[in-house]
């Protein structure tokens, strides 16, 4: 290949270290050499996809994966049947292991720690993890996903791990030949209910409305299953049990009636809320509580801060949309860094194309 | 996967209940994804606090009696036993710093 006229794509670690940088704007005491191009927070489909793309663009991403929930939501499920490219389906944990391997293959540095605080305001962003260590970068991608919603009942926490669960694949085993309840009417609730039929004697789905939100195929499977019963227009008013769950009180959502349901397990699948604790005081949010981004881009209210996956998405929230969104964030980061031009040291080379305006203002 | 000693239904009394030191028991199973994330953290804790506490693991698939006796319905579950009694519990995979706080009195 002829090198003349080509921009050097990346510097070796030593070159990075010795190259004098004249126009640093950071206010920290560390040397500029420890300022990375990009840090990715979160290790679901969004974070790992962003890692694959930024790593292949030579941006040497640092991905902070979390210490115990690395891999994200799909770690808690079994078959994923709608991620394209796997005609026979794929196990969630296997898929995420592959995501991790692919990110690592191109040089992503993966750290199994939890981010405890971020400072996103300046040109150089600071990301601090549970050990107290702080990392700095010019760009940050927030892809922290969403956290399961709780019922908000007094006894829910107390009995959590003693019959109240949020993970059928983790805990279903302990309910062999027992009667259990699944709360919720969406796809994940149906998935949990169907999975639990492998162990339970009966599964009662408790749903606030008289029809399901779940996709047609999941509804059909659940409605046809002989072990699954439905309690329509009902919500959980109380969970009973001293050491272990013994039953629920269900309140009607249409009249004043209530009734008891004897179950030894309750699996809560009533939806998720975006995980925004780290950033909620620094970034603009939407009315749905997700991180606000510009049009079809991943640009948040702060320059250099990008967000991807379920944390920006109140609607679609699938592995494939999270992946797509991680890809968008990676490309936005490359453009942002390249736009900073010669004032900073970055491996990014592709500046923002003119066409991006269309993405920023996407509308019909 | 983990360096912790395996205890069983039949060795539980000798290894855990009659131990002179407090013992941290990791209730786990092969099919439990979060358990896989937790075990290296418990290995770390075991290494750093070896003078104070022993860390062992119990496979709930192979040892259902002990799991049932202590009412385990969710794993990973970490139970600390002292003088034959449950002295503290923590359920779910949690970061090392959090576990160290929860079990501070034993470390
Ligand atoms: C039971 C179940 C079944 C599902 N089945 C399917 C399916 O079949 N097909 C499908 O397409 N989708 C499915 N989904 C939805 C899919 O899992 C999500 O849409 C997708 O995982 C979102 O990806 P994400 O990267 O945005 O977030 P997540 O997968 O939630 O990942 C977020 C990551 O961020 C990490 N994180 C959060 N906070 C911090 C922090 N402070 N520091 C460090 N790391 C942090 C988390 O640990 C996690 O690794 C399912 C969801 C559930 C719950």
């Amino acid at each position: 290949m002829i090198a003349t006229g080509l921009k050097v794509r990346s510097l070796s670690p030593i070159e990075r270290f010795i190259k004098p940088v004249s126009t640093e704007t950071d206010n920290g005491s560390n040397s500029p050499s420890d300022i990375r191009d990009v840090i990715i927070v979160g290790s679901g489909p969004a974070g790992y996809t962003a890692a694959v793309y930024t790593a292949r663009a030579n941006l040497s991403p640092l991905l902070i994966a979390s210490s115990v929930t690395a891999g994200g939501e799909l770690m808690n499920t079994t078959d994923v049947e709608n991620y394209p490219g796997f005609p026979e389906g794929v196990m969630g944990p296997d898929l995420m292991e592959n995501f991790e391997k692919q990110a690592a293959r191109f040089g992503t540095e993966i750290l199994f720690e939890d981010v405890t605080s971020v400072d996103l305001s300046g040109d150089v962003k600071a990301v601090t993890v549970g050990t107290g260590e702080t990392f700095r970068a010019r760009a940050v991608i927030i892809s922290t996903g969403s956290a399961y919603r709780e019922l908000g009942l007094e006894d829910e926490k107390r009995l959590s791990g003693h019959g109240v669960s949020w993970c059928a694949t983790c805990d279903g085993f302990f309910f062999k030949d027992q009667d259990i309840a699944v709360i919720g009417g969406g796809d994940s609730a149906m998935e949990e209910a169907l999975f639990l039929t492998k162990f339970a004697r009966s599964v009662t789905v408790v749903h606030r409305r008289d029809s399901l939100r779940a996709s047609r195929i999941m509804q059909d499977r659940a409605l046809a299953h002989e072990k699954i019963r439905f309690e329509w227009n009902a919500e959980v008013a109380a969970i009973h049990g001293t050491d272990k769950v013994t039953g629920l009180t269900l309140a009607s959502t249409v009249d004043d009636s209530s009734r008891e349901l004897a179950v030894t397990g309750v699996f809560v699948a009533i939806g998720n809320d975006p995980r925004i604790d780290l950033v909620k005081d620094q970034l603009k949010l939407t009315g749905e509580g997700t991180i606000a981004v510009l049009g079809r881009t991943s640009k948040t209210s702060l320059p250099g801060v990008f967000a991807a996956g379920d944390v920006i998405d109140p609607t679609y929230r699938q592995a494939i949309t999270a992946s797509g969104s991680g890809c968008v964030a990676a490309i936005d980061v490359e453009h942002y860094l390249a736009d900073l031009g010669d004032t900073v040291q970055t491996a990014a080379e592709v500046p923002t194309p003119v066409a991006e305006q269309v993405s920023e203002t996407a509308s019909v | 996967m983990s360096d912790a000693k395996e205890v069983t239904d039949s060795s539980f009394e000798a290894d855990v209940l009659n131990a002179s030191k407090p013992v941290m028991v990791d209730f786990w199973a092969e099919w439990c994804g979060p358990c896989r994330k937790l075990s290296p953290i418990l290995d770390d804790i075991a290494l750093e606090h070896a003078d104070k506490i022993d860390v062992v693991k119990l496979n709930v698939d192979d040892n259902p009696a002990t799991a049932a006796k202590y009412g385990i319905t969710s794993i990973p579950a970490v139970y600390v036993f002292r003088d034959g009694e449950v002295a503290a519990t923590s359920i779910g995979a949690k970061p090392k710093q959090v576990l160290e706080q929860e079990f501070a009195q034993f470390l």
Side-chain angles (χ1 to χ4, degrees):
Chain A
M1 200 206 251
I2 301 164
T4 329
L6 283 179
K7 203 168 154 190
V8 177
R9 211 161 150 78
S10 81
L11 300 166
S12 73
I14 290 171
E15 284 171 315
R16 277 175 180 242
F17 187 74
I18 55 173
K19 190 177 175 204
V21 179
S22 48
T23 46
E24 285 301 330
T25 48
D26 84 282
N27 42 19
S29 56
N30 305 18
S31 69
S33 62
D34 76 345
I35 302 174
R36 295 158 190 269
D37 270 339
V38 60
I39 295 173
I40 299 164
V41 184
S43 56
Y48 277 134
T49 304
V52 168
Y53 274 79
T54 50
R56 292 191 75 250
N58 281 341
L59 302 183
S60 312
L62 168 68
L63 181 144
I64 304 175
S66 108
S67 60
V68 290
T69 56
E73 265 186 359
L74 288 183
M75 297 300 284
N76 293 336
T77 188
T78 50
D79 283 307
V80 177
E81 294 181 338
N82 51 12
Y83 199 86
F86 298 89
E88 312 298 329
V90 56
M91 299 298 269
D94 293 346
L95 181 64
M96 294 321 297
E97 200 182 310
N98 282 337
F99 267 88
E100 184 188 322
K101 280 190 192 145
Q102 194 171 353
R105 178 180 156 209
F106 297 108
T108 304
E109 200 181 324
I110 302 173
L111 187 67
F112 293 95
E113 294 290 348
D114 303 282
V115 174
T116 49
S117 68
V118 291
D119 181 353
L120 303 174
S121 53
D123 291 342
V124 175
K125 324 291 178 191
V127 177
T128 304
V129 298
T131 58
E133 205 175 345
T134 296
F135 299 90
R136 302 189 306 154
R138 291 186 202 288
V140 172
I141 297 174
I142 306 291
S143 53
T144 45
S146 59
Y148 58 73
R149 206 170 281 161
E150 299 182 3
L151 292 167
L153 294 171
E154 221 171 281
D155 291 319
E156 180 179 17
K157 276 233 158 56
R158 183 175 63 80
L159 290 167
S160 156
H162 303 285
V164 178
S165 171
W166 283 268
C167 179
T169 54
C170 310
D171 304 336
F173 167 85
F174 299 103
F175 297 89
K176 275 187 194 141
D177 298 320
Q178 299 180 35
D179 299 311
I180 59 182
V182 170
I183 319 300
D187 267 336
S188 10
M190 293 314 106
E191 214 171 294
E192 305 256 287
L194 286 161
F195 178 78
L196 289 165
T197 58
K198 292 191 205 174
F199 306 101
R201 182 166 60 198
S202 77
V203 178
T204 305
V205 173
V206 179
H207 185 44
R208 283 203 291 201
R209 281 176 265 277
D210 60 2
S211 63
L212 298 168
R213 249 181 314 115
S215 61
R216 195 79 247 169
I217 183 166
M218 296 304 282
Q219 287 199 27
D220 290 348
R221 283 185 203 168
L223 290 165
H225 202 287
E226 54 177 10
K227 280 191 182 176
I228 301 181
R229 301 195 269 260
F230 288 83
E231 281 287 345
W232 303 105
N233 299 317
E235 60 188 10
V236 182
I239 305 175
H240 308 294
T242 34
D243 301 328
K244 278 175 88 169
V245 170
T246 53
L248 305 175
T249 301
L250 303 182
S252 165
T253 55
V254 289
D255 57 38
D256 289 341
S257 66
S258 69
R259 55 161 300 214
E260 298 300 306
L261 182 70
V263 288
T264 50
V266 193
F267 290 80
V268 184
I270 53 170
N272 293 60
D273 292 311
R275 256 194 220 102
I276 47 156
D277 284 354
L278 282 176
V279 300
K280 63 174 190 289
D281 300 327
Q282 301 180 51
L283 299 179
K284 280 204 183 120
L285 305 176
T286 68
E288 294 293 326
T290 51
I291 297 175
V293 292
L294 193 62
R296 291 173 50 81
T297 76
S298 64
K299 298 175 189 176
T300 70
S301 51
L302 285 179
V305 183
F306 304 83
D310 282 5
V311 77
I312 65 165
D313 187 350
T315 316
Y316 307 108
R317 301 201 308 174
Q318 295 296 300
I320 187 70
T321 51
S323 280
S325 157
C327 165
V328 167
I331 293 173
D332 285 345
V333 163
E334 161 108 34
H335 293 165
Y336 168 80
L337 292 172
D339 286 353
L340 296 176
D342 297 333
T343 59
V344 301
Q345 198 178 344
T346 172
E349 351 187 78
V350 184
T352 302
V354 178
E356 182 154 313
Q357 278 186 7
V358 174
S359 304
E360 286 188 354
T361 55
S363 69
V364 279
Chain B
M1 187 177 124
S2 148
D3 305 331
K5 175 178 175 178
E6 284 275 0
V7 299
T8 63
D9 279 348
S10 52
S11 75
F12 199 78
E13 190 165 346
D15 286 341
V16 178
L17 300 181
N18 296 336
S20 51
K21 265 196 278 190
V23 183
M24 190 182 278
V25 183
D26 170 16
F27 291 89
W28 73 288
E30 212 58 79
W31 39 260
C32 160
C35 297
R36 262 177 263 172
K37 305 283 178 194
L38 183 67
S39 63
I41 290 175
L42 295 180
D43 285 350
D44 269 4
I45 291 179
L47 214 64
E48 283 166 33
H49 305 280
D51 50 329
K52 298 252 177 68
I53 197 161
D54 282 332
V55 178
V56 301
K57 54 186 200 165
L58 182 126
N59 182 318
V60 298
D61 266 330
D62 302 339
N63 303 284
T66 307
K69 180 172 172 202
Y70 292 100
I72 305 290
T73 62
S74 187
I75 55 172
V78 182
Y79 279 43
V80 172
F81 290 82
R82 190 171 48 193
D83 303 325
E85 302 284 338
V86 177
T89 68
S90 172
I91 287 161
K94 295 177 187 169
K96 186 174 172 207
Q97 295 85 2
V98 174
L99 287 174
E100 282 179 336
Q101 260 166 27
E102 288 186 10
F103 293 126
Q105 62 176 126
F106 305 100
L107 305 178

